[in-house]
């Protein structure tokens, strides 16, 4: 029989909460282009006096539609690539910029300030390395092949 101490239980729960926080922060970063685009589109339909639930519902709906459109166009890009047409190259570059480069570019200054706070001498190099790593991780998540 194995007995857990209360300190170990507390540590495990905190670690689980930290893991969940990092997981949801990653998903928020990953889907941030869709969420921000959906917000911009929603602002064309709703005014500032609309309810919060209407805003959230419309943003969520438009985000899901944009994600489905992106999946459809990803298949279209693969089809164009297989058929030998060169139109797939600008479409792929547009999608890679929208999904991988734009979110990291928008948070680049915050990332630089964080690196400058943590590692003063190598802040610029570490910022570029972490931004590149985040972009590659986001690119690999969308499976553009």
């Amino acid at each position: 029989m194995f007995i857990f101490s209360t300190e170990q239980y507390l540590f495990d729960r905190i670690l689980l909460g930290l893991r969940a926080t990092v997981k949801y922060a990653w998903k928020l970063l990953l889907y941030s282009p869709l969420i921000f685009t959906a917000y911009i589109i929603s602002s064309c339909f709703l005014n500032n006096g609309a309810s919060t639930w209407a805003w959230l519902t419309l943003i969520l709906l438009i985000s899901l539609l944009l994600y489905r459109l992106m999946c459809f166009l990803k298949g279209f890009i693969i089809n164009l690539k297989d058929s030998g047409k060169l139109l797939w190259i600008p479409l792929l570059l547009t999608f890679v910029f929208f999904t991988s480069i734009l979110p990291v570019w928008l948070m680049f200054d915050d990332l630089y300030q964080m690196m400058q706070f943590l590692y003063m001498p190598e802040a610029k190099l570490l910022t570029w390395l972490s931004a590149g790593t985040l972009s590659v991780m986001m690119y690999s998540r969308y499976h553009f092949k």
Side-chain angles (χ1 to χ4, degrees), residues 37-134:
T37 305
Y39 172 74
I40 292 169
I41 294 171
S42 296
S43 66
C44 295
F45 296 117
L46 296 174
N47 59 7
N48 291 339
S51 72
T52 305
W53 291 108
W55 277 96
L56 288 175
T57 305
L58 192 61
I59 288 172
L60 182 65
L61 181 67
I62 292 173
S63 295
L64 290 173
L65 289 174
L66 286 173
Y67 183 75
R68 292 296 174 196
L69 177 69
M70 194 172 66
C71 290
F72 173 75
L73 290 177
K74 186 170 66 169
F76 186 67
I77 289 171
I78 292 170
N79 190 15
L80 285 175
K81 183 180 176 187
D82 290 342
S83 66
K85 297 181 180 169
L86 295 178
L87 181 62
W88 70 273
I89 295 173
L91 286 174
L92 178 71
L93 291 176
T94 303
F95 276 107
V96 168
F97 177 76
F98 180 70
T99 59
S100 303
I101 297 171
L102 185 64
V104 176
W105 180 61
L106 290 175
M107 62 178 265
F108 190 81
D109 289 336
D110 296 327
L111 194 60
Y112 178 71
Q113 289 176 1
M114 184 179 74
M115 290 299 172
Q116 199 171 23
F117 178 73
L118 295 175
Y119 309 103
M120 183 62 96
E122 301 91 10
K124 195 168 196 170
L125 176 67
L126 287 175
T127 303
W128 281 102
L129 286 175
S130 60
T133 304
L134 278 173

